[in-house]
Amino acid sequence: MYNYIIDYTQVDLGTITEPVTVAEAKQYCRVDNNVEDDLFEELITQSRQAVEKAANISITPKTVTLWFTNSAGNFQLPFGPMTSFTSLTDVNGNVIGSNVYKLIGGQYPNLQKPDWANLTAVYTTGMSTVPKEIKIAILDQINYGYENRGMDIDDMGICEKTWRVCQRWTRTSPIL
């Protein structure tokens, strides 16, 4: 018996406020003109998304719908930090009451029970404040994207310094 993710969706909650401003990104990249402001807006979003994916976290607020199997129990819910748990349903769409399921932990909880197959969990995630280390990782990724735009680079598309930060934040193996 083992646990696994079947599928998931992540939907942004409302208007996204990026953790890095265009002014901060330009200063970090040592750019002092406004010619490429649109590019920097795109690089900020792309870099934040790359960090979220590599670290398996949610920086901006999202609603997560997760289809999974918890046959072995103690399933780690991905994409934290969790801000609220909305519902858990079984394979037939029946809502499982909070008296039946058991979540252990705070921002990155595990579902200890029920140990069933084909469950669906709905919850919200996101950081109320972005840690400085994550913000700098996003800035490093922006700089990497800016300096290497248009180049055919044979790598993972994420800079090594950002990757090391993401590895410190992930609790599961990331898939890029």
Side-chain angles (χ1 to χ4, degrees):
M1 296 178 40
Y2 52 91
N3 299 334
Y4 58 90
I5 294 173
I6 299 167
D7 199 3
Y8 66 90
T9 62
Q10 294 179 321
V11 178
D12 292 327
L13 289 176
T15 304
I16 299 298
T17 302
E18 294 292 352
V20 173
T21 67
V22 170
E24 290 170 321
K26 287 171 41 180
Q27 181 182 14
Y28 198 80
C29 295
R30 296 187 171 109
V31 173
D32 60 3
N33 62 59
N34 297 331
V35 174
E36 298 176 306
D37 283 4
D38 290 343
L39 172 63
F40 275 100
E41 286 180 19
E42 292 297 322
L43 287 171
I44 290 166
T45 299
Q46 182 276 330
S47 297
R48 187 236 333 135
Q49 290 171 341
V51 168
E52 286 179 325
K53 187 162 184 88
N56 201 21
I57 59 175
S58 295
I59 296 169
T60 58
K62 295 173 183 49
T63 297
V64 176
T65 303
L66 178 71
W67 294 269
F68 65 103
T69 290
N70 189 32
S71 296
N74 210 33
F75 180 83
Q76 185 176 51
L77 295 172
F79 316 117
M82 182 187 302
T83 56
S84 68
F85 190 79
T86 306
S87 67
L88 183 65
T89 56
D90 66 16
V91 67
N92 298 316
N94 300 316
V95 175
I96 300 168
S98 60
N99 60 329
V100 176
Y101 69 79
K102 185 172 186 179
L103 280 174
I104 301 295
Q107 295 182 341
Y108 303 95
N110 289 348
L111 180 69
Q112 287 196 324
K113 63 179 187 173
D115 52 354
W116 302 345
N118 302 317
L119 296 168
T120 304
V122 178
Y123 55 98
T124 57
T125 62
M127 296 180 169
S128 55
T129 58
V130 178
K132 197 175 289 187
E133 181 180 44
I134 295 287
K135 190 171 179 176
I136 291 170
I138 293 168
L139 287 165
D140 285 328
Q141 185 63 26
I142 292 165
N143 188 54
Y144 178 81
Y146 182 74
E147 292 294 327
N148 294 292
R149 64 191 182 278
M151 294 182 69
D152 185 23
I153 299 173
D154 189 25
D155 65 10
M156 298 182 303
I158 194 165
C159 79
E160 190 173 327
K161 187 176 174 191
T162 298
W163 179 253
R164 284 194 304 268
V165 171
C166 291
Q167 291 305 290
R168 287 194 293 272
W169 280 82
T170 189
R171 291 153 323 281
T172 57
S173 297
I175 299 172
L176 293 176

